[in-house]
Amino acid sequence: MTVPETTAAVDGATGPEALRPHAEDAFADELKALAAADDRPRPARWRLSPWAVAIYLLGGTLPDGTVITPKYVGPRRLIEVAVTTLATDRALLLLGVPGTAKTWVSEHLAAAVSGDSTLLVQGTAGTPEEAVRYGWNYARLLAQGPSREALVPSPLMRAMSEGMTARVEELTRIPADVQDSLITILSEKTLPIPELGQEVQAVRGFNVIATANDRDRGVNELSSALRRRFNTVVLPLPATPDAEVDIVSRRVDQIGRSLDLPAAPEGLSEIRRVVTVFRELRDGVTTDGRTKLKSPSGTLSTAEAISVVTNGLALAAHFGDGILRPADVAAGILGAVVRDPAADRVVWQEYLETVVRERDGWKDFYRACREASV
């Protein structure tokens, strides 16, 4: 049996062949153009200058006409502070509610600074200390005893050795005793290996970007000693409806192209409608400020709006006429809003009857949501 060429390289899929390419692969052309145009001083082992890193995140047009697409839509000063932090010996903590692009910004910062966003520790309740420090190849350990050859470096150890940027996702989900293993790394820039009587010292260029969800307060809060090692940048929710619509539209377009979904130029009105619903329920008041609303238990983040619209676009492409319509997004909105079947359903029904039903131009949306709620 002949294996198709596209299947044969699945294990090593990179770039456009990957379902979700890493930032440095997906935006390789932009990073290359920025590097060529960048004549400003670069910190040790940085691929770009801080100025160019900020342009990569925020977007702009280079002197040769190359357009750099925005990766983050929000206050420019926040990105400048984040980039500047990485150029110092302070680690960076990106803090915010779910869906404020913390992971997205973290990945693109690492890609622009080090050209590699994959040195990642994913924080969970079960993250062991070995994921932060180092582990062992137990076959070699039993056969040869402790040695550098038997040692399995963590992403942070590799970043220290190579002067790269490491990432720690969901820091507050990691158990407190494992969190504290970061203190020596961040303060002394060294990682002791007592089993070998050795240590790994960080070379210039090393730094850490961590993300944390401020909804997780009380889970595994950071000790004051560890928090002092970070410069904290709080990423806010989009300030205006237009900004949030822009973010959702851009990400849906990127995701749609990676999934070979048709473009939905006529879907902007539905995207705006989804964003309006999410913002009103999230804020507890209608856009005009006249009606106060109950908020559901979920976060209704921008990331969830992107998911709802992407799923609606897939429905329109595969089971409709390719045009995003109210029926395509109604079920997704219901699933995002109603997390608690009892309390959230009451909130949603009240919103439908008091706001959506009376709003001009929303009749089709109201009917679609009523049908989805049955």
Side-chain angles (χ1 to χ4, degrees), residues 54-55 57-59 70-83 94-95 100-101 105 109 233-240 243-244 247:
I55 295 296
L57 267 291
L58 297 166
K71 316 303 180 299
Y72 176 74
V73 178
R76 182 181 189 87
R77 199 60 175 174
L78 290 182
I79 296 301
E80 291 175 344
V81 170
V83 174
L94 299 175
L95 184 67
T100 48
V105 171
L109 282 172
V233 172
V234 179
L235 297 184
L237 290 164
T240 66
E244 191 160 4
I247 294 168

Side-chain angles (χ1 to χ4, degrees), residues 87-111:
T88 70
D89 64 349
R90 297 271 290 179
L92 173 65
L93 175 62
L94 299 175
L95 184 67
V97 300
T100 48
K102 300 182 296 296
T103 298
W104 182 252
V105 171
S106 167
E107 179 184 358
H108 282 284
L109 282 172

Side-chain angles (χ1 to χ4, degrees), residues 1 5 61 74-75 118 133 154 175 194 200 216 232 252 256 273 294 303 312 320 322 324 326:
M1 178 179 177
E5 183 178 349
T61 302
T118 64
R133 299 177 70 241
S154 70
V200 173
D216 284 343
T232 301
V252 167
R273 196 173 348 238
K294 295 176 183 177
L324 193 64

Side-chain angles (χ1 to χ4, degrees), residues 121 127-134 154-157 174 178-179 181-182 185 191:
V121 175
T127 300
E129 189 173 347
E130 289 80 2
V132 175
R133 299 177 70 241
Y134 54 85
S154 70
L156 269 84
M157 179 183 276
I174 298 176
V178 179
Q179 288 180 13
S181 62
L182 282 168
I185 294 174
L191 177 56

Side-chain angles (χ1 to χ4, degrees), residues 285-335:
V285 64
T286 54
T287 304
D288 57 15
R290 295 179 180 177
T291 307
K292 290 191 175 182
L293 306 168
K294 295 176 183 177
S295 295
S297 59
T299 58
L300 298 182
S301 66
T302 307
E304 289 168 299
I306 292 168
S307 178
V308 167
V309 175
T310 301
N311 188 67
L313 185 59
L315 281 172
H318 297 301
F319 298 102
D321 58 5
I323 298 175
L324 193 64
R325 301 187 187 279
D328 299 318
V329 298
I333 290 179
L334 177 66

Side-chain angles (χ1 to χ4, degrees), residues 133-134 136 146-148 151 190-200:
R133 299 177 70 241
Y134 54 85
W136 295 97
S147 66
R148 286 302 290 261
L151 187 146
T190 185
L191 177 56
I193 310 174
E195 296 91 340
L196 303 179
Q198 300 176 9
E199 66 178 11
V200 173

Side-chain angles (χ1 to χ4, degrees), residues 153-203:
S154 70
L156 269 84
M157 179 183 276
R158 287 182 53 202
M160 293 175 72
S161 301
E162 299 171 23
M164 305 278 276
T165 302
R167 300 165 55 210
V168 181
E169 287 294 313
E170 302 292 352
L171 179 59
T172 50
R173 305 297 299 179
I174 298 176
D177 58 331
V178 179
Q179 288 180 13
D180 287 343
S181 62
L182 282 168
I183 292 177
T184 301
I185 294 174
L186 297 182
S187 60
E188 304 298 327
K189 310 302 181 193
T190 185
L191 177 56
I193 310 174
E195 296 91 340
L196 303 179
Q198 300 176 9
E199 66 178 11
V200 173
Q201 289 189 317
V203 300

